[in-house]
Amino acid sequence: RVFVLLSAGAICTSILRHGIVGAASEKPGSEFIESTCQNDGTMKKRVLISYASRCGSTGGVAEAMGQVLCGMGASADIRLVGNVNDLTPYHAVIVGSAIRRGKWLPEAVGFVKDNQDILGRLPIAYFVVCLTMKDNTAENRSTVMAYLDPVRKEAPKIQPVAVGLFPGALNYSKLSFVDKTILKAKGASEGDYRDWSAVKAWASAVGPMFPLT
């Protein structure tokens, strides 16, 4: 199995609840995608794409990755991180998170830290979804890569085979007053900046690093 953990690129308020595997996750709602691609129904290596989100935009990213991996012969599960209660059936993992104030979401970090013994034995990739990557410059890539430093520190047993950096989405109607004020002061513009071609290309490149068939 392949496990992909993601998180939304936008910042917004949410109600956190305790997840089953030692982490907190966004409370599911209509915007938080959970789905399964079974391929042709035969026995396939299963891909779990599990993500943490504040506003839900990363669910679409997770689903796009799942469709690519499913097309490569895997069975793909897209789940919120708090709804994952068993990692043993999976053969590989992709872990990612949105960025809030320069950091992965705490439930994503907690999940990786608490499950690093299992995750460290699997092929694993990281990725980040955040507005900074709206402008894909060398400086911004360096900045966003540094957001992973605390994750690497908390889970040193995990050595990712790849790291993906993607832009997210911003909808001011989903933000708290404080976050809205901060982002407006920075001149952040509303919009959906997710780059579907980049997401699919990355998933296509990562797929061969995993035992999918």
Side-chain angles (χ1 to χ4, degrees):
R1 286 186 172 184
V2 180
F3 176 54
V4 184
L5 171 63
L6 315 174
S7 165
I11 301 174
C12 68
T13 57
S14 64
I15 300 174
L16 294 179
R17 61 183 176 82
H18 291 294
I20 301 174
V21 193
S25 174
E26 183 71 30
K27 185 176 181 180
S30 60
E31 295 183 78
F32 297 93
I33 295 173
E34 293 194 304
S35 62
T36 296
C37 170
Q38 295 288 1
N39 208 330
D40 58 8
T42 60
M43 294 299 293
K44 301 288 184 180
K45 297 295 178 67
R46 294 185 64 182
V47 179
L48 175 60
I49 306 176
S50 183
Y51 66 97
S53 180
R54 285 294 183 270
C55 298
S57 65
T58 299
V61 177
E63 190 167 55
M65 290 184 172
Q67 291 171 351
V68 171
L69 295 174
C70 190
M72 298 175 74
S75 174
D77 297 329
I78 292 87
R79 300 286 184 269
L80 288 160
V81 63
N83 292 340
V84 179
N85 57 12
D86 186 8
L87 296 177
T88 58
Y90 296 94
H91 295 94
V93 176
I94 300 175
V95 182
S97 177
I99 297 301
R100 184 180 181 123
R101 296 168 188 163
K103 297 179 181 179
W104 260 23
L105 296 176
E107 58 266 36
V109 178
F111 180 87
V112 172
K113 177 183 178 181
D114 294 345
N115 296 284
Q116 63 178 308
D117 287 340
I118 294 176
L119 297 176
R121 296 194 292 268
L122 300 172
I124 186 169
Y126 286 155
F127 73 86
V128 173
V129 179
C130 68
L131 289 176
T132 302
M133 288 306 299
K134 177 170 66 72
D135 299 312
N136 188 3
T137 64
E139 181 180 1
N140 284 349
R141 288 195 297 273
S142 178
T143 296
V144 175
M145 281 292 290
Y147 295 158
L148 290 170
D149 289 348
V151 184
R152 297 178 188 275
K153 181 178 179 180
E154 293 288 348
K157 296 180 181 180
I158 299 176
Q159 299 297 322
V161 299
V163 176
L165 310 176
F166 307 108
L170 175 61
N171 184 337
Y172 277 119
S173 69
K174 296 181 178 181
L175 303 184
S176 68
F177 174 79
V178 172
D179 288 331
K180 186 186 301 183
T181 301
I182 292 173
L183 288 176
K184 284 188 174 182
K186 292 181 178 180
S189 299
E190 280 190 304
D192 188 342
Y193 303 103
R194 290 173 294 182
D195 186 335
W196 303 113
S197 295
V199 170
K200 293 176 181 178
W202 185 80
S204 296
V206 170
M209 302 178 188
F210 296 151
L212 299 183
T213 59

